[in-house]
Amino acid sequence: LVGPSVRDPLESEPKTVLRHGYTYSGHPSCAAAAMANLDILEREQLLGSADRIAAHLGDGLRELVDGEAVLEVRGTKGVWALGLGSGTDATALRNALLTHGVIARPIGDATVAFCPSLVVTDGQMEQCVEAARRALTEVASAAPARH
């Protein structure tokens, strides 16, 4: 997996040995699955879907910026996130999204990431945006009043 031109500098100290050998990486069956996946990505031109996701999901999420619950939307291509205001909890928002059939990932307390697959449909992206709209309303109404 690592040839001498890479290994030798890493092991230049006599007591240093490159100790690497995960059972799931570099295994012939994993490599064959990875190659098959690359073939599908190329044959079905799925990498081009990232631009479609950026246009559809990115634009839809930008509509949710209100300066309070959602302060910003950031992302590129097929990965997008809502930057939340101090009164909106990322985990609570994720939980509300799940009730609407959308899986998103809270990152810290103030970010919820959307990472759809490259085969996501326009309808599914619309579902993500509408679910986020509803979930934001639900989380805001459940939050304790601010003083």
Side-chain angles (χ1 to χ4, degrees):
L1 182 65
V2 178
S5 65
V6 173
R7 188 181 63 249
D8 291 345
L10 295 172
E11 295 182 334
S12 62
E13 291 289 327
K15 294 184 179 183
T16 303
V17 176
L18 179 61
R19 299 181 195 278
H20 179 67
Y22 295 108
T23 58
Y24 55 83
S25 60
H27 191 278
S29 60
C30 292
M35 294 303 294
N37 184 61
L38 291 172
D39 288 343
I40 292 167
L41 287 169
E42 186 175 293
R43 181 179 65 244
E44 297 183 15
Q45 300 176 345
L46 291 176
L47 294 181
S49 293
D51 291 327
R52 181 177 56 85
I53 294 168
H56 205 93
L57 184 60
D59 289 350
L61 292 175
R62 281 188 196 94
E63 295 173 4
L64 302 177
V65 175
D66 62 3
E68 238 180 88
V70 179
L71 301 179
E72 67 175 340
V73 172
R74 55 189 184 272
T76 186
K77 300 290 183 175
V79 178
W80 289 89
L82 297 174
L84 306 175
S86 62
T88 308
D89 179 72
T91 301
L93 182 60
R94 183 272 319 264
N95 293 343
L97 283 163
L98 286 170
T99 67
H100 294 289
V102 173
I103 299 171
R105 187 175 68 233
I107 301 173
D109 295 332
T111 302
V112 173
F114 297 81
C115 309
S117 69
L118 294 173
V119 296
V120 67
T121 66
D122 289 351
Q124 290 166 329
M125 287 186 278
E126 290 165 14
Q127 178 185 1
C128 287
V129 173
E130 185 55 33
R133 186 182 324 280
R134 289 181 183 170
L136 285 161
T137 300
E138 292 165 9
V139 169
S141 67
R146 292 188 232 167
H147 299 294

